[in-house]
Amino acid sequence: MSDDRFPTRLSKRLIYQSPWIELYADTVRMPDGSVIEAYHRLHYPSDAVCVAVFNRRDELLMIRSRRYITGRLEWELPAGSVEKDETPIEAAWRECLEETGCRVENLRFLCSQNPSNGMADLTVHVFAARAADDTGSFDQNEVAERRWIPRPQLMRMLRRNELRCGVSMLAALYALQFYLEP
């Protein structure tokens, strides 16, 4: 049963498909009855995770990723896709180890978010954890460096717009408020 208060998809046309993303042009009827012939929509075949990792001093582990799309080194939290036959929590463990060289403990789910819900259906599951041990080995194709950031410095970085990744910004703030605080 359709609900007249929401847009209704009348048809969909696949424009592009890869293992990571699909682009559709949907024909959509709006609540007022008007029709949009090409409502572009991004579909992500898998969810993603983002993890805030803290050490015993409550410093946050940040990575600096080489981002082709922006052409910059970006400060971020470890994140990535949930692989086939993997749960979000398993993906969180794996991404931490791959991107930071840290094994984590006390991994806790914080929230799920849709970072661009007006055009994409990606769901990112946000976790926080404590660093258990540090192998020091990480994927250097993706990560240029990693650094433990004290809370005051993190807040300055946020205020100065030095973090540009919205998923990482939300995860860091969520973790500071709901993981570290009782």
Side-chain angles (χ1 to χ4, degrees), residues 62-65 74-78 99-100 143 145-146:
M62 300 289 298
I63 59 174
R64 204 154 191 205
S65 297
E74 303 273 1
W75 284 110
E76 301 173 357
L77 297 181
E99 293 189 0
T100 70
V143 178
E145 69 176 295
R146 56 183 213 144

Side-chain angles (χ1 to χ4, degrees), residues 36-51:
I36 298 174
E37 295 296 330
Y39 195 121
H40 290 90
R41 175 177 58 91
L42 294 171
H43 168 67
Y44 288 82
S46 64
D47 288 357
V49 296
C50 183
V51 187

